[in-house]
Amino acid sequence: MLQTQSSLSRSQERNMKWLVLLGLVAFSECIVKIPLRRVKTMRNTVSGKNMLNNFLKEHAYRLSQISFRGSNLTTLPLRNIRDMLHMGTITIGTPPQVFQVVFDTGSSFLWVPSVSCKSSTCSTRARFRHLLSFTFRSTNMNCRIIYESGRIKGTVVRDTVRIGDLVSTDQMFGLSLEEYGFEGLPFDGILGLNYPNISSARAIPIFDNLMNQGALAEPVFAFYLNKSKQEGSVVMFGGVDQRYYEGELNWIPLIKLGGWTVHMDRISMRREVIACSDGCKAIVDTGTAAIGGPSTLVNNIQKLIGAKPQGSQHYVSCSAVNTLPSIIFTINSINYTVPAQAYILKDSRGRCYSTFQKNTVSSSTETWVLGDVFLRLYFSVFDRGNDRIGLAQAV
């Protein structure tokens, strides 16, 4: 059950720090080895690895004018929870059990609470009852994931996972037995959509499993995140619906394989560069609520917009929001404008706070995290076939 507005008010400041870097996993350890499976298609039967290679060769370069509708595209509605997170419904097991999860491009693993979880947070969530699913399989392996301000411990299992009409059979995922730091957050679990870890001891993510099993028309997924309204946001798999954006998609190559990170040219305001002056990294993360950056640079932006610290947030006068300047993120020579009405939000008490947050990304290079504040303005396509991200003005 979702929290009421009053309960969100009491927990908002405590939760915001965790939400800022939801998808950035500080440590993830799942002692798992995945043998290649053999999967059957209408044409032939090949190993999972060969099928994926052939699939990508066939489909990877069709996306210059990408637009698919109908049976080739699976669109799942997402709910916007007070502009703090977006979550959607999946089912696990046979017969299916329903869970609300955050679709997170900053991590690669799916987990939901186990019926055996004894942590206080689990009592408010849907918990997976493995004995009720006849497709369930245990693995006798453990899993531990540590996020910025929360962590889980659990076990790795297998079962059928459904996202809309997509079915991932024998999917490896985690069942949390202990949870810490997630108090007051209304989701059941997290579904990671990042690349698989390069280690052979990691579970195959659900998107890779769907590709392996031939369930997708194209190896892409995309997000349309609606601002302020609870309904209207969507995540789509296997293609892109052009009704959710205007103009052309601007394609940005990834810095390297294995993560949704691109090169950003600069960040500017009033035609002055205020951050990323020599170029930097930008992580495009749907599991992050805000825009995160290095402490010194974020503090400077707060000063430039007149945001004053109070507790864990920086606040501005709500009457000044319409006069504050836009901040421009230049990526691959394209300017992406974020107006003050987007980077300043109201909390449940009616106070206006800045959504720029200090991150703790460990990197020798200046790194920014472009979360939902940015992605509510720009429709985003994550293209595994070409290892790139597409951005366009959201409608």
Side-chain angles (χ1 to χ4, degrees), residues 91-98 162:
T91 67
I92 303 176
T94 311
Q97 300 176 39
V98 177
R162 298 170 181 84

Side-chain angles (χ1 to χ4, degrees), residues 311-350:
S312 62
Q313 299 297 320
H314 283 69
Y315 290 89
V316 301
S317 169
C318 292
S319 62
V321 173
N322 290 333
T323 64
L324 290 176
S326 297
I327 296 179
I328 298 172
F329 298 79
T330 304
I331 305 172
N332 207 25
S333 301
I334 302 293
N335 290 334
Y336 297 92
T337 300
V338 178
Q341 293 81 0
Y343 67 74
I344 301 293
L345 296 179
K346 275 189 179 181
D347 65 16
S348 58
R349 300 178 185 176

Side-chain angles (χ1 to χ4, degrees), residues 95-107:
Q97 300 176 39
V98 177
F99 298 91
Q100 303 294 322
V101 297
V102 175
F103 288 82
D104 176 26
T105 59
S107 62

